[in-house]
Amino acid sequence: QEVFGNQAKYGIYSGTSKESCADFVFATNITMSNTLDLFEKDEFDYIVLMNVIMLLHKRIRRLFNILNLSFC
């Protein structure tokens, strides 16, 4: 919020909160993997993964495959 201030809307997408209509959505890979059918393939411009070792996990590979993502 220090960078964008009130110009951007932030959301939490978790087991208890489903704020997906935002400029920035913060979610866990498990929550996203379990609800991928709710998102369009072009839903996200960027996905930032905080734990790179998780890229090896099958859930992350599934997320990238379904959303048609690539590494930058």
Side-chain angles (χ1 to χ4, degrees):
Q1 288 179 329
E2 291 180 20
V3 175
F4 295 102
N6 293 330
Q7 297 175 4
K9 184 177 176 189
Y10 306 90
I12 302 291
Y13 194 81
S14 67
T16 58
S17 178
K18 301 290 189 271
E19 303 169 342
S20 61
C21 294
D23 299 309
F24 297 92
V25 178
F26 299 89
T28 64
N29 68 315
I30 294 172
T31 302
M32 289 297 294
S33 295
N34 290 339
T35 58
L36 278 175
D37 57 325
L38 301 177
F39 298 97
E40 298 295 326
K41 288 187 179 223
D42 61 350
E43 187 95 21
F44 301 100
D45 293 323
Y46 297 96
I47 293 182
V48 178
L49 298 170
M50 299 303 291
N51 189 347
V52 178
I53 195 69
M54 290 301 292
L55 290 173
L56 303 176
H57 197 278
K58 64 181 179 181
R59 280 192 176 122
I60 295 295
R61 287 187 299 214
R62 181 175 173 257
L63 176 73
F64 271 67
N65 290 336
I66 290 176
L67 293 178
N68 198 28
L69 301 173
S70 60
F71 291 97
C72 295

Coordinates of all heavy atoms in Angstrom, one line a residue:
Q1 N 0.8 -1.2 0.0 CA 0.0 0.0 0.0 C 0.9 1.3 0.0 O 0.4 2.3 -0.4 CB -0.9 0.0 1.2 CG -2.1 -1.0 1.0 CD -3.0 -1.1 2.2 OE1 -2.6 -0.8 3.3 NE2 -4.2 -1.4 1.9
E2 N 2.1 1.1 0.4 CA 3.0 2.3 0.4 C 3.3 2.7 -1.0 O 3.6 3.9 -1.2 CB 4.2 2.0 1.2 CG 4.0 1.9 2.7 CD 5.2 1.6 3.5 OE1 6.3 1.9 3.0 OE2 5.1 1.1 4.6
V3 N 3.3 1.8 -1.9 CA 3.7 2.1 -3.3 C 2.5 2.6 -4.1 O 2.6 3.7 -4.7 CB 4.2 0.8 -4.0 CG1 4.5 1.1 -5.5 CG2 5.5 0.3 -3.3
F4 N 1.3 1.9 -4.0 CA 0.2 2.3 -4.8 C -0.8 3.1 -4.0 O -1.8 3.7 -4.6 CB -0.5 1.1 -5.4 CG 0.4 0.4 -6.4 CD1 1.0 -0.8 -6.0 CD2 0.5 0.9 -7.7 CE1 1.8 -1.4 -6.9 CE2 1.3 0.2 -8.6 CZ 2.0 -0.9 -8.2
G5 N -0.8 3.2 -2.7 CA -1.7 3.9 -1.9 C -3.1 3.5 -2.1 O -3.4 2.3 -2.2
N6 N -4.0 4.4 -2.2 CA -5.4 4.1 -2.4 C -5.8 3.9 -3.8 O -7.0 3.8 -4.2 CB -6.3 5.2 -1.7 CG -6.1 5.2 -0.2 OD1 -5.9 4.2 0.4 ND2 -6.3 6.4 0.4
Q7 N -4.9 4.0 -4.7 CA -5.1 3.9 -6.2 C -5.4 2.4 -6.6 O -5.9 2.2 -7.7 CB -4.0 4.4 -7.0 CG -3.7 5.9 -6.8 CD -2.5 6.4 -7.5 OE1 -1.9 5.6 -8.3 NE2 -2.1 7.6 -7.3
A8 N -5.0 1.5 -5.8 CA -5.2 0.1 -6.1 C -6.0 -0.6 -5.0 O -6.0 -0.2 -3.8 CB -3.8 -0.6 -6.2
K9 N -6.7 -1.6 -5.4 CA -7.6 -2.4 -4.5 C -6.8 -3.8 -4.2 O -6.3 -4.4 -5.2 CB -8.9 -2.7 -5.1 CG -9.8 -3.4 -4.1 CD -11.2 -3.6 -4.7 CE -12.1 -4.4 -3.7 NZ -13.4 -4.8 -4.3
Y10 N -6.8 -4.2 -3.0 CA -6.1 -5.4 -2.6 C -7.1 -6.4 -2.0 O -8.0 -6.0 -1.4 CB -5.0 -5.1 -1.5 CG -4.1 -4.0 -1.9 CD1 -4.4 -2.6 -1.6 CD2 -2.9 -4.3 -2.5 CE1 -3.5 -1.6 -2.0 CE2 -2.1 -3.2 -2.9 CZ -2.4 -1.9 -2.6 OH -1.5 -0.9 -3.0
G11 N -6.8 -7.7 -2.3 CA -7.7 -8.7 -1.9 C -7.0 -9.9 -1.4 O -5.9 -10.2 -1.8
I12 N -7.6 -10.6 -0.5 CA -7.1 -11.9 0.1 C -8.0 -13.0 -0.4 O -9.2 -12.9 -0.3 CB -7.1 -11.9 1.6 CG1 -6.3 -10.7 2.2 CG2 -6.6 -13.2 2.2 CD1 -4.8 -10.8 1.9
Y13 N -7.4 -14.0 -1.0 CA -8.1 -15.2 -1.5 C -7.6 -16.4 -0.7 O -6.5 -16.9 -1.0 CB -7.9 -15.3 -3.0 CG -8.9 -16.3 -3.6 CD1 -10.2 -15.9 -3.9 CD2 -8.6 -17.6 -3.8 CE1 -11.1 -16.7 -4.5 CE2 -9.5 -18.5 -4.4 CZ -10.8 -18.0 -4.7 OH -11.7 -18.9 -5.2
S14 N -8.4 -16.8 0.3 CA -8.0 -17.9 1.1 C -9.2 -18.8 1.4 O -10.2 -18.6 0.9 CB -7.3 -17.3 2.4 OG -8.3 -16.7 3.2
G15 N -9.0 -19.7 2.4 CA -10.1 -20.5 2.8 C -11.2 -19.8 3.4 O -12.4 -20.2 3.3
T16 N -10.9 -18.6 4.1 CA -11.9 -17.9 4.8 C -12.3 -16.6 4.1 O -13.3 -15.9 4.5 CB -11.5 -17.5 6.2 OG1 -10.2 -16.8 6.1 CG2 -11.3 -18.8 7.0
S17 N -11.6 -16.2 3.1 CA -11.8 -14.9 2.4 C -11.7 -15.1 0.9 O -10.7 -15.6 0.4 CB -10.8 -13.8 2.9 OG -11.0 -12.6 2.2
K18 N -12.6 -14.6 0.1 CA -12.6 -14.8 -1.3 C -12.7 -13.4 -2.0 O -13.6 -13.1 -2.8 CB -13.8 -15.7 -1.8 CG -13.8 -17.1 -1.2 CD -12.6 -17.9 -1.7 CE -12.7 -19.3 -1.3 NZ -12.1 -19.7 -0.1
E19 N -11.7 -12.5 -1.8 CA -11.7 -11.2 -2.4 C -10.9 -11.3 -3.7 O -9.8 -10.8 -3.7 CB -11.1 -10.2 -1.4 CG -11.8 -10.1 -0.1 CD -11.0 -9.3 1.0 OE1 -9.8 -9.1 0.8 OE2 -11.6 -8.9 1.9
S20 N -11.5 -11.8 -4.7 CA -10.7 -12.0 -6.0 C -10.9 -10.8 -6.9 O -10.2 -10.7 -7.9 CB -11.1 -13.3 -6.6 OG -12.5 -13.3 -6.9
C21 N -11.8 -9.9 -6.7 CA -12.1 -8.8 -7.6 C -11.2 -7.6 -7.1 O -11.7 -6.7 -6.4 CB -13.5 -8.4 -7.6 SG -14.5 -9.7 -8.4
A22 N -9.9 -7.7 -7.3 CA -9.0 -6.6 -6.9 C -7.9 -6.5 -7.8 O -7.7 -7.4 -8.7 CB -8.5 -7.0 -5.5
D23 N -7.1 -5.4 -7.7 CA -6.0 -5.2 -8.6 C -4.8 -6.2 -8.2 O -4.1 -6.7 -9.0 CB -5.5 -3.8 -8.5 CG -6.5 -2.8 -8.9 OD1 -7.0 -2.9 -10.0 OD2 -6.8 -1.8 -8.2
F24 N -4.7 -6.4 -6.9 CA -3.7 -7.3 -6.4 C -4.4 -8.3 -5.5 O -5.1 -8.0 -4.5 CB -2.6 -6.6 -5.5 CG -1.9 -5.6 -6.4 CD1 -2.3 -4.3 -6.5 CD2 -0.7 -6.0 -7.0 CE1 -1.5 -3.4 -7.2 CE2 0.0 -5.1 -7.8 CZ -0.4 -3.8 -7.9
V25 N -4.3 -9.6 -5.8 CA -4.9 -10.7 -5.0 C -3.8 -11.5 -4.4 O -2.9 -12.0 -5.1 CB -5.8 -11.6 -5.9 CG1 -6.4 -12.7 -5.0 CG2 -6.9 -10.7 -6.5
F26 N -3.8 -11.7 -3.1 CA -2.8 -12.5 -2.4 C -3.5 -13.8 -2.0 O -4.6 -13.8 -1.4 CB -2.3 -11.8 -1.1 CG -1.7 -10.5 -1.4 CD1 -2.4 -9.3 -1.5 CD2 -0.3 -10.4 -1.7 CE1 -1.8 -8.1 -1.8 CE2 0.3 -9.2 -2.0 CZ -0.4 -8.1 -2.1
A27 N -2.8 -14.9 -2.4 CA -3.4 -16.3 -2.2 C -2.3 -17.3 -1.9 O -1.2 -17.1 -2.3 CB -4.3 -16.7 -3.4
T28 N -2.7 -18.4 -1.4 CA -1.8 -19.5 -1.2 C -1.9 -20.4 -2.4 O -3.0 -20.4 -3.1 CB -2.1 -20.3 0.0 OG1 -3.4 -20.9 -0.1 CG2 -2.0 -19.5 1.3
N29 N -0.9 -21.2 -2.7 CA -1.0 -22.1 -3.9 C -2.0 -23.2 -3.7 O -2.7 -23.6 -4.6 CB 0.4 -22.7 -4.2 CG 0.8 -23.7 -3.1 OD1 0.7 -23.4 -1.9 ND2 1.3 -24.8 -3.5
I30 N -2.3 -23.6 -2.4 CA -3.3 -24.6 -2.2 C -4.7 -24.1 -2.5 O -5.5 -24.7 -3.1 CB -3.1 -25.1 -0.7 CG1 -1.8 -25.8 -0.5 CG2 -4.3 -26.0 -0.4 CD1 -1.5 -26.2 0.9
T31 N -5.0 -22.9 -2.0 CA -6.3 -22.3 -2.2 C -6.5 -22.1 -3.7 O -7.6 -22.4 -4.3 CB -6.5 -20.9 -1.5 OG1 -6.3 -21.1 -0.1 CG2 -7.8 -20.4 -1.7
M32 N -5.5 -21.6 -4.4 CA -5.7 -21.4 -5.9 C -5.8 -22.7 -6.6 O -6.7 -22.8 -7.5 CB -4.4 -20.7 -6.4 CG -4.4 -19.2 -6.0 SD -5.7 -18.2 -6.7 CE -5.4 -18.3 -8.4
S33 N -5.0 -23.7 -6.2 CA -5.1 -25.0 -6.9 C -6.5 -25.7 -6.7 O -7.0 -26.3 -7.6 CB -4.0 -25.9 -6.4 OG -2.8 -25.4 -6.8
N34 N -7.0 -25.5 -5.5 CA -8.3 -26.1 -5.2 C -9.5 -25.4 -5.9 O -10.6 -26.0 -5.9 CB -8.5 -26.2 -3.7 CG -7.6 -27.2 -3.0 OD1 -7.1 -28.1 -3.7 ND2 -7.4 -27.0 -1.8
T35 N -9.3 -24.2 -6.4 CA -10.4 -23.4 -7.0 C -10.1 -22.9 -8.4 O -10.7 -21.9 -8.8 CB -10.8 -22.2 -6.0 OG1 -9.7 -21.4 -5.9 CG2 -11.3 -22.7 -4.7
L36 N -9.2 -23.6 -9.1 CA -8.8 -23.1 -10.4 C -10.0 -23.0 -11.4 O -9.9 -22.1 -12.3 CB -7.7 -24.0 -11.0 CG -6.3 -23.7 -10.5 CD1 -5.4 -24.7 -11.0 CD2 -5.9 -22.3 -10.9
D37 N -11.0 -23.8 -11.2 CA -12.1 -23.8 -12.2 C -12.9 -22.5 -12.1 O -13.7 -22.2 -13.0 CB -13.0 -25.0 -11.9 CG -13.5 -25.1 -10.5 OD1 -12.8 -24.7 -9.6 OD2 -14.7 -25.5 -10.3
L38 N -12.7 -21.7 -11.1 CA -13.4 -20.4 -10.9 C -12.7 -19.3 -11.7 O -13.3 -18.2 -11.8 CB -13.5 -20.0 -9.4 CG -14.2 -21.1 -8.5 CD1 -14.2 -20.6 -7.1 CD2 -15.6 -21.2 -9.0
F39 N -11.5 -19.5 -12.2 CA -10.7 -18.4 -12.8 C -10.6 -18.7 -14.3 O -10.5 -19.8 -14.8 CB -9.4 -18.3 -12.2 CG -9.4 -17.9 -10.8 CD1 -9.3 -18.9 -9.8 CD2 -9.6 -16.6 -10.4 CE1 -9.4 -18.6 -8.4 CE2 -9.6 -16.3 -9.0 CZ -9.5 -17.3 -8.1
E40 N -10.6 -17.6 -15.1 CA -10.3 -17.7 -16.5 C -8.8 -17.8 -16.8 O -8.0 -17.4 -15.9 CB -10.9 -16.4 -17.2 CG -12.3 -16.2 -17.1 CD -13.1 -17.3 -17.8 OE1 -12.7 -17.8 -18.9 OE2 -14.2 -17.7 -17.4
K41 N -8.4 -18.3 -17.9 CA -7.0 -18.5 -18.2 C -6.3 -17.2 -18.3 O -5.1 -17.1 -18.0 CB -6.8 -19.3 -19.5 CG -7.2 -20.7 -19.4 CD -6.8 -21.5 -20.6 CE -7.2 -22.9 -20.5 NZ -6.2 -23.8 -21.0
D42 N -7.0 -16.1 -18.6 CA -6.3 -14.8 -18.7 C -6.7 -13.9 -17.5 O -6.6 -12.7 -17.6 CB -6.7 -14.1 -20.0 CG -8.2 -13.9 -20.2 OD1 -9.0 -14.4 -19.3 OD2 -8.6 -13.2 -21.1
E43 N -7.1 -14.5 -16.4 CA -7.5 -13.8 -15.2 C -6.4 -12.9 -14.6 O -6.7 -11.8 -14.1 CB -8.0 -14.8 -14.2 CG -8.7 -14.1 -13.0 CD -10.2 -14.0 -13.1 OE1 -10.7 -14.8 -13.9 OE2 -10.7 -13.2 -12.4
F44 N -5.2 -13.4 -14.7 CA -4.1 -12.7 -14.0 C -3.0 -12.2 -15.0 O -2.7 -12.9 -15.9 CB -3.4 -13.6 -13.0 CG -4.4 -14.1 -12.0 CD1 -4.9 -15.4 -12.1 CD2 -4.7 -13.4 -10.9 CE1 -5.8 -15.9 -11.1 CE2 -5.6 -13.8 -9.9 CZ -6.2 -15.1 -10.0
D45 N -2.5 -11.0 -14.8 CA -1.4 -10.5 -15.6 C -0.1 -11.1 -15.1 O 0.8 -11.4 -15.8 CB -1.3 -9.0 -15.5 CG -2.6 -8.4 -16.2 OD1 -3.0 -8.9 -17.2 OD2 -3.0 -7.3 -15.7
Y46 N 0.1 -11.2 -13.8 CA 1.3 -11.7 -13.1 C 0.9 -12.5 -11.9 O -0.1 -12.3 -11.3 CB 2.2 -10.5 -12.6 CG 2.6 -9.6 -13.7 CD1 2.0 -8.4 -14.0 CD2 3.8 -9.9 -14.4 CE1 2.4 -7.6 -14.9 CE2 4.2 -9.1 -15.4 CZ 3.5 -7.9 -15.7 OH 4.0 -7.1 -16.6
I47 N 1.7 -13.5 -11.7 CA 1.7 -14.3 -10.5 C 3.1 -14.4 -9.9 O 4.0 -14.7 -10.6 CB 1.2 -15.8 -10.8 CG1 -0.3 -15.7 -11.2 CG2 1.3 -16.6 -9.5 CD1 -0.9 -17.1 -11.5
V48 N 3.2 -13.9 -8.6 CA 4.4 -13.9 -7.9 C 4.4 -15.0 -6.9 O 3.6 -15.1 -6.1 CB 4.6 -12.5 -7.2 CG1 5.9 -12.6 -6.4 CG2 4.6 -11.4 -8.2
L49 N 5.4 -15.9 -7.0 CA 5.6 -17.0 -6.1 C 6.6 -16.7 -5.1 O 7.8 -16.4 -5.5 CB 5.9 -18.3 -6.9 CG 4.8 -18.7 -7.8 CD1 5.4 -19.9 -8.7 CD2 3.6 -19.1 -7.1
M50 N 6.3 -16.8 -3.8 CA 7.2 -16.4 -2.8 C 8.2 -17.5 -2.4 O 9.3 -17.3 -2.0 CB 6.5 -16.0 -1.5 CG 5.6 -14.8 -1.8 SD 6.5 -13.3 -2.4 CE 7.4 -12.9 -1.0
N51 N 7.8 -18.7 -2.6 CA 8.6 -19.9 -2.3 C 9.0 -20.6 -3.6 O 8.2 -21.5 -4.0 CB 7.9 -20.8 -1.3 CG 8.8 -21.9 -0.7 OD1 9.9 -22.1 -1.2 ND2 8.3 -22.5 0.3
V52 N 10.1 -20.3 -4.2 CA 10.5 -20.9 -5.5 C 10.6 -22.4 -5.5 O 10.2 -23.0 -6.5 CB 11.8 -20.2 -6.0 CG1 12.2 -20.8 -7.3 CG2 11.6 -18.7 -6.1
I53 N 11.0 -23.0 -4.4 CA 11.1 -24.4 -4.3 C 9.7 -25.1 -4.6 O 9.6 -26.2 -5.1 CB 11.7 -24.9 -3.0 CG1 12.1 -26.4 -3.1 CG2 10.7 -24.8 -1.9 CD1 13.3 -26.6 -4.0
M54 N 8.6 -24.4 -4.3 CA 7.3 -24.9 -4.6 C 7.0 -25.1 -6.1 O 6.0 -25.7 -6.4 CB 6.2 -24.0 -3.9 CG 6.2 -24.0 -2.4 SD 6.0 -25.7 -1.7 CE 4.3 -26.0 -2.2
L55 N 7.8 -24.5 -6.9 CA 7.6 -24.6 -8.4 C 7.7 -26.1 -8.8 O 7.2 -26.5 -9.8 CB 8.6 -23.8 -9.1 CG 8.4 -22.3 -9.1 CD1 9.6 -21.6 -9.8 CD2 7.2 -21.9 -9.7
L56 N 8.4 -26.9 -8.0 CA 8.5 -28.3 -8.3 C 7.3 -29.1 -7.9 O 7.1 -30.2 -8.3 CB 9.8 -28.8 -7.5 CG 11.1 -28.1 -7.9 CD1 12.2 -28.7 -7.0 CD2 11.4 -28.3 -9.3
H57 N 6.5 -28.5 -7.1 CA 5.3 -29.2 -6.6 C 4.2 -29.3 -7.6 O 4.0 -28.5 -8.5 CB 4.7 -28.4 -5.4 CG 3.8 -29.2 -4.6 ND1 2.5 -29.4 -4.9 CD2 3.9 -29.9 -3.4 CE1 1.9 -30.2 -4.0 NE2 2.7 -30.5 -3.1
K58 N 3.5 -30.4 -7.7 CA 2.6 -30.7 -8.7 C 1.4 -29.7 -8.7 O 0.9 -29.4 -9.8 CB 2.0 -32.1 -8.6 CG 1.2 -32.4 -7.4 CD 0.8 -33.9 -7.3 CE 0.0 -34.2 -6.1 NZ -0.4 -35.5 -6.0
R59 N 1.1 -29.1 -7.6 CA 0.0 -28.2 -7.6 C 0.4 -26.9 -8.4 O -0.4 -26.3 -9.1 CB -0.4 -27.8 -6.2 CG -1.3 -28.8 -5.5 CD -1.8 -28.2 -4.2 NE -2.7 -29.1 -3.6 CZ -2.6 -29.6 -2.4 NH1 -1.6 -29.2 -1.6 NH2 -3.5 -30.4 -1.9
I60 N 1.6 -26.5 -8.2 CA 2.1 -25.3 -8.9 C 2.2 -25.6 -10.4 O 1.8 -24.8 -11.2 CB 3.5 -24.8 -8.3 CG1 3.3 -24.4 -6.9 CG2 4.1 -23.7 -9.2 CD1 2.5 -23.2 -6.7
R61 N 2.7 -26.7 -10.8 CA 2.7 -27.1 -12.2 C 1.3 -27.1 -12.8 O 1.1 -26.6 -13.9 CB 3.4 -28.4 -12.4 CG 4.9 -28.3 -12.1 CD 5.6 -29.6 -12.5 NE 5.0 -30.7 -11.6 CZ 5.7 -31.7 -11.1 NH1 6.9 -31.9 -11.5 NH2 5.1 -32.6 -10.3
R62 N 0.4 -27.6 -12.0 CA -1.0 -27.6 -12.5 C -1.6 -26.2 -12.7 O -2.2 -25.9 -13.7 CB -1.9 -28.4 -11.5 CG -3.3 -28.5 -11.9 CD -4.1 -29.4 -10.9 NE -5.5 -29.4 -11.2 CZ -6.4 -28.7 -10.5 NH1 -6.0 -28.0 -9.5 NH2 -7.7 -28.7 -10.9
L63 N -1.3 -25.4 -11.7 CA -1.7 -24.0 -11.8 C -1.1 -23.3 -13.0 O -1.8 -22.6 -13.8 CB -1.2 -23.2 -10.5 CG -1.4 -21.7 -10.4 CD1 -2.9 -21.5 -10.2 CD2 -0.6 -21.1 -9.3
F64 N 0.2 -23.5 -13.3 CA 0.8 -22.9 -14.5 C 0.2 -23.5 -15.8 O 0.0 -22.7 -16.7 CB 2.3 -23.1 -14.5 CG 3.0 -22.1 -13.8 CD1 2.9 -21.9 -12.4 CD2 3.9 -21.2 -14.4 CE1 3.6 -20.9 -11.7 CE2 4.6 -20.2 -13.8 CZ 4.4 -20.0 -12.4
N65 N -0.1 -24.8 -15.8 CA -0.6 -25.4 -17.0 C -2.1 -24.9 -17.3 O -2.4 -24.6 -18.4 CB -0.6 -26.9 -16.9 CG 0.8 -27.5 -16.9 OD1 1.7 -26.8 -17.5 ND2 1.0 -28.6 -16.4
I66 N -2.9 -24.9 -16.2 CA -4.3 -24.5 -16.4 C -4.4 -23.0 -16.8 O -5.2 -22.7 -17.7 CB -5.1 -24.9 -15.2 CG1 -5.2 -26.4 -15.1 CG2 -6.5 -24.2 -15.2 CD1 -5.9 -26.9 -13.9
L67 N -3.7 -22.2 -16.1 CA -3.8 -20.7 -16.4 C -2.9 -20.3 -17.6 O -2.8 -19.2 -17.9 CB -3.4 -19.9 -15.2 CG -4.4 -20.1 -14.0 CD1 -3.9 -19.3 -12.8 CD2 -5.8 -19.6 -14.4
N68 N -2.2 -21.3 -18.2 CA -1.4 -21.0 -19.4 C -0.3 -20.0 -19.1 O -0.1 -19.0 -19.8 CB -2.2 -20.6 -20.6 CG -1.5 -20.7 -21.9 OD1 -0.7 -21.6 -22.0 ND2 -1.9 -19.9 -22.9
L69 N 0.4 -20.2 -18.0 CA 1.4 -19.3 -17.6 C 2.8 -19.7 -18.0 O 3.0 -20.9 -18.3 CB 1.4 -19.2 -16.0 CG 0.1 -18.7 -15.4 CD1 0.2 -18.8 -13.9 CD2 -0.2 -17.3 -15.8
S70 N 3.8 -18.8 -18.0 CA 5.1 -19.1 -18.3 C 6.0 -18.4 -17.4 O 5.6 -17.4 -16.7 CB 5.5 -18.7 -19.8 OG 5.3 -17.4 -20.0
F71 N 7.3 -18.8 -17.3 CA 8.3 -18.2 -16.4 C 8.8 -17.0 -17.1 O 9.1 -16.9 -18.3 CB 9.4 -19.2 -16.1 CG 9.0 -20.3 -15.2 CD1 8.6 -21.5 -15.8 CD2 8.9 -20.2 -13.9 CE1 8.2 -22.6 -15.0 CE2 8.5 -21.2 -13.1 CZ 8.2 -22.4 -13.7
C72 N 9.1 -16.0 -16.3 CA 9.8 -14.7 -16.7 C 11.1 -14.6 -16.1 O 11.3 -15.0 -15.0 CB 8.9 -13.5 -16.4 SG 7.4 -13.5 -17.2

